[in-house]
Amino acid sequence: MEARAVTKFARVSPRKMRLVVDQVRGRSVEDALTILKFVPKGCAGIVAKTLRSAVANAENTQSVDVDLLYVKSAEVGQAGMWKRFMPRGMGRANRIRKRLSHLTVVVDERV
């Protein structure tokens, strides 16, 4: 039985978060958490927290062995954007788009 956890509107661009998520997809939960501990990216903590939440959901809603869980899928999607303006020369302004992302982690029991 699979369990999932979702983090919405994380203040990280999806492109940066996908670099971290690609490293843990398909691995066992224990290996994935170890990898996330040593990844030198800021969003590794967000991914680890969401993964721990998915494991807790699996443990509390179904009777599964936590040692047999693996990351079945992990997807990062584009959320909204914060739009800001940066002053430029000669009275002009440039738009700055601060991107947000949604993260979905699904864990399942390996047969």
Side-chain angles (χ1 to χ4, degrees):
M1 296 292 290
E2 60 183 38
R4 64 187 350 217
V6 178
T7 299
K8 292 193 168 213
F9 299 104
R11 185 52 196 98
V12 180
S13 87
R15 185 175 178 180
K16 292 177 184 176
M17 191 177 278
R18 281 188 195 108
L19 292 172
V20 175
V21 168
D22 289 342
Q23 295 181 7
V24 298
R25 193 179 291 121
R27 297 186 184 261
S28 70
V29 170
E30 185 178 337
D31 290 343
L33 288 173
T34 304
I35 289 169
L36 289 172
K37 188 186 292 186
F38 294 106
V39 170
K41 297 277 186 185
C43 65
I46 297 170
V47 176
K49 188 173 181 179
T50 308
L51 179 58
R52 278 192 231 105
S53 177
V55 171
N57 289 342
E59 193 175 14
N60 290 328
T61 58
Q62 300 119 13
S63 59
V64 296
D65 187 12
V66 178
D67 297 330
L68 297 177
L69 289 178
Y70 75 103
V71 181
K72 183 175 183 180
S73 71
E75 299 173 3
V76 180
Q78 172 79 35
M81 270 186 249
W82 293 348
K83 296 179 179 82
R84 301 290 183 261
F85 289 95
M86 175 76 76
R88 294 297 181 191
M90 293 196 274
R92 296 187 179 105
N94 284 354
R95 181 183 300 166
I96 294 179
R97 295 182 300 252
K98 299 189 174 196
R99 299 172 190 273
L100 307 173
S101 56
H102 296 319
L103 171 64
T104 305
V105 177
V106 179
V107 294
D108 199 2
E109 196 169 17
R110 203 177 289 272
V111 180

